[in-house]
Amino acid sequence: MPTPKILPCGDSALTVEFGSTIDPALNAMVLALDEIVRAHAPAGLIETVPTYRSLTIQFDPAATDYDALVRLLDQETKDLAPRHAVGRRWRVPVVYGGAYGSDLEEVAEIHGLTPNQVIEIHSSAIYRIYMIGFLPGFTYLGGLDKRIATSRRLHPRAKIPAGTIMIGGEQAGIAPMDMPSGWHNLGLTPVRPYAPERDPVFLFAAGDEIVFEPVDASRWEAMEKAVRAGEPVAEEIRP
Amino acid sequence: MIDLVVKSCGPMTALQDRGRFGYQGFGVSPSGAMDRRALAMANALVGNPPDTGAIEFVNLGGAFTCDGGDLRLAVAGAGAVASIDGTAVPPLTSFILREGQTLEVGHPRTGTFAYLAVAGGLAVEPQLGSLSFHLRSRLGGLKGASLQAGNRLPCRPEGQAGEPMELAADISEETGPLRVMLGPQDDYFTPDSIRLLLESEFTISPQADRMGFQLTGPKLEHAKGFNIVSDGIVDGHIQVPGSGQPIVLMRDRQTAGGYPKIATVISADLARFAQMRSGTKVRFRAVERDEAVAAARQLRDWIASLPTHLTPVRYALTTEHLLSRNLIGGTVDALSPVSHD
């Protein structure tokens, strides 16, 4: 792996860039360095923001020894071991198709599959959370089976409901709240990755894994009631 | 508890402190006061630490009363002035709002953002460690919302009896170009575009809000496309989408984005930029890290020094105030401000 680049982001941040593409190997390095920087907690550190391919480190310019920070990063990235091990894997129940996933049939048609085949393919993959961004709790998931990778919609929707299970290009995601989207809606989950009034506020973290479990629409009401009562409904399972 | 009661305010009026840090990795923007200097001044006037949560006004002012006791308050930022029952309070002076009186905070005159601070801070529950309101996260403010008429903001009774003070320090009105550091993606642009950024005049468009300020000016050409795989964003990043027209990202920005960022406004110049209104012309000057860090330290030291520039107020604010201090007889029709030296 080439040496990561340190890019200046003004006087209060820098970005350690491992590459320019979406690649699980790069992301594993990002998460590994994130863990190291947070453990070191150099003076002045405000926070770290891991993304697909880079780690942005924000600090107080008046309290940070910038040269020492760069030396630490140079040293730690030299023999960095990727962080592939994931702490948690989550099972997320999904009601697919119909009013729950209005694009399921269209996606099936595009790929010459039946809706059930799309469900089968979508729910047998293990997804990895590469990053959380765009909105609070929005998970960018890698691991979508190429057989159902679908370019984004020509006409984005102004609003899709919270809990929408969607795919766009080779990515997959879960809508944490009502949001605009150009991706395709396959189904709906009552699970809320983000709930400001709940403890924990965020269910998932970058590096976690997610599997989707198809469930019957008859279970929707009971699951939704549990979520309203503050239960996660997403279930932590052993990999 | 004493309530500060909102009688009226603009739609974007909300609580802001330094911001919400530690959750960008979960997609939550830091938000926070657009003008840290003005927030610090309002807080210093009522004896609070500089980043204490306060009410941020955006373009419009508001009216307030108090219920359950008197409150010690101060207004700072963008030349906004306060008045009590129609009588103007001298600028950069803390004052007491008594029960039955109405406080009016005038609209920000020389910029966009002004602050109303209360002694002891607001007794509002922070969310994820901060009072800062962030619209898209539905976090901060009053239970995830901005302020509106009828809201009651609980304040602590302690500290309200303190002396009104005046602040003999003001924001130095610099007029030079905004200082930037090139990067993180300056290599995505042609050398001509870098030159254009640093040698041209840009105008702040009407699309300027807490998320970002859209600029119009010469088109900045990308050397290798304008789509990148999303990476981290910080306050002050100047991102350039396909249109070639730069956007300076501000406190409510997203946490990650997919357009190249040609340069970053240095932290010490962000508040000055935030107070520039639509239509203002701006220029940029590239500086090295040393100069940016020196400016950040200077701002930190200026904020820390504010309490040393406080003196007890030399103005009597109301008839009642004068009476309470036995400074005048009961028959005098005294109107404030009255200088008694």
Side-chain angles (χ1 to χ4, degrees), chain A residues 11-234:
Chain A
D11 56 335
S12 309
L14 60 81
T15 290
V16 184
E17 185 183 76
F18 287 88
S20 55
T21 55
I22 297 178
D23 175 345
L26 293 179
N27 191 245
M29 303 297 266
V30 171
L31 296 180
L33 184 63
D34 183 31
E35 209 163 71
I36 290 167
V37 172
R38 283 189 288 135
H40 270 273
L45 178 71
I46 293 175
E47 64 180 307
T48 58
V49 188
T51 69
Y52 280 116
R53 60 190 182 90
S54 63
L55 181 70
T56 298
I57 300 172
Q58 300 190 8
F59 47 83
D60 174 357
T64 299
D65 182 342
Y66 180 79
D67 295 332
L69 177 61
V70 168
R71 277 197 302 276
L72 171 74
L73 294 170
D74 281 342
Q75 189 187 324
E76 293 297 338
T77 50
K78 213 169 284 167
D79 305 299
L80 191 62
R83 183 171 170 262
H84 286 301
V86 275
R88 302 181 298 178
R89 179 180 292 177
W90 299 89
R91 183 157 53 208
V92 172
V94 180
V95 179
Y96 283 94
Y100 297 89
S102 53
D103 298 330
L104 176 66
E105 294 203 0
E106 193 187 326
V107 168
E109 209 167 288
I110 288 169
H111 300 289
L113 300 164
T114 66
N116 276 338
Q117 285 172 317
V118 173
I119 296 172
E120 164 71 21
I121 292 168
H122 183 263
S123 61
S124 20
I126 296 167
Y127 300 88
R128 180 188 172 94
I129 301 178
Y130 280 139
M131 63 180 271
I132 298 180
F134 182 62
L135 283 173
F138 183 82
T139 51
Y140 287 90
L141 302 176
L144 183 68
D145 192 308
K146 282 190 169 49
R147 287 175 293 168
I148 58 170
T150 313
S151 14
R152 295 172 194 202
R153 290 171 52 86
L154 275 180
H155 303 287
R157 295 184 173 102
K159 188 169 142 182
I160 59 157
T164 298
I165 303 298
M166 53 195 180
I167 58 173
E170 292 191 12
Q171 301 182 87
I174 306 171
M177 54 178 70
D178 294 354
M179 61 183 277
S181 164
W183 293 14
H184 304 271
N185 305 346
L186 297 187
L188 203 63
T189 180
V191 170
R192 291 291 171 271
Y194 169 70
E197 308 298 334
R198 180 187 61 201
D199 182 21
V201 173
F202 306 97
L203 283 185
F204 312 132
D208 284 3
E209 290 178 336
I210 285 183
V211 293
F212 294 112
E213 181 194 24
V215 297
D216 194 84
S218 63
R219 281 182 56 196
W220 181 262
E221 222 164 285
M223 293 192 303
E224 214 183 22
K225 198 174 155 196
V227 166
R228 274 200 303 269
E231 285 174 41
V233 173

Side-chain angles (χ1 to χ4, degrees), chain B residues 101-292:
Chain B
Q101 293 181 327
T102 300
L103 160 69
E104 284 206 45
V105 178
H107 59 84
R109 292 178 306 166
T110 59
T112 306
F113 302 96
Y115 299 86
L116 171 64
V118 53
L122 296 157
V124 174
E125 195 63 35
Q127 285 185 293
L128 298 183
S130 169
L131 289 187
S132 287
F133 169 64
H134 186 242
L135 181 68
R136 277 165 308 118
S137 309
R138 296 185 304 229
L139 280 174
L142 270 188
K143 295 194 169 140
S146 56
L147 297 184
Q148 50 178 306
N151 282 157
R152 302 176 79 89
L153 297 159
C155 307
R156 299 175 182 86
E158 306 85 54
Q160 305 307 340
E163 200 72 14
M165 304 294 267
E166 64 180 308
L167 182 61
D170 205 349
I171 293 159
S172 58
E173 281 312 320
E174 290 169 53
T175 51
L178 288 161
R179 291 168 288 183
V180 299
M181 285 173 60
L182 291 177
Q185 277 103 26
D186 47 321
D187 59 333
Y188 273 68
F189 296 86
T190 61
D192 267 356
S193 291
I194 306 277
R195 194 179 51 74
L196 279 173
L197 175 77
L198 300 175
E199 292 178 6
S200 318
E201 193 171 71
F202 293 84
T203 306
I204 299 174
S205 88
Q207 279 77 51
D209 58 22
R210 287 187 44 91
M211 268 189 83
F213 285 23
Q214 171 82 60
L215 306 179
T216 54
K219 185 170 191 239
L220 304 180
E221 302 281 352
H222 298 82
K224 38 183 182 178
F226 55 84
N227 280 303
I228 59 171
V229 174
S230 288
D231 73 343
I233 286 177
V234 305
D235 291 356
H237 261 160
I238 305 176
Q239 75 172 17
V240 185
S243 66
Q245 298 292 286
I247 301 168
V248 185
L249 298 166
M250 305 298 279
R251 304 280 189 226
D252 283 0
R253 63 182 170 72
Q254 289 169 351
T255 52
Y259 294 119
K261 290 142 311 251
I262 189 169
T264 312
V265 178
I266 70 169
S267 60
D269 283 1
L270 269 179
R272 174 162 74 103
F273 179 63
Q275 293 287 17
M276 292 179 179
R277 292 170 160 173
S278 299
T280 306
K281 308 234 183 286
V282 292
R283 287 178 175 276
F284 297 104
R285 176 167 73 88
V287 298
E288 297 297 321
R289 178 172 306 279
D290 288 354
E291 183 174 342

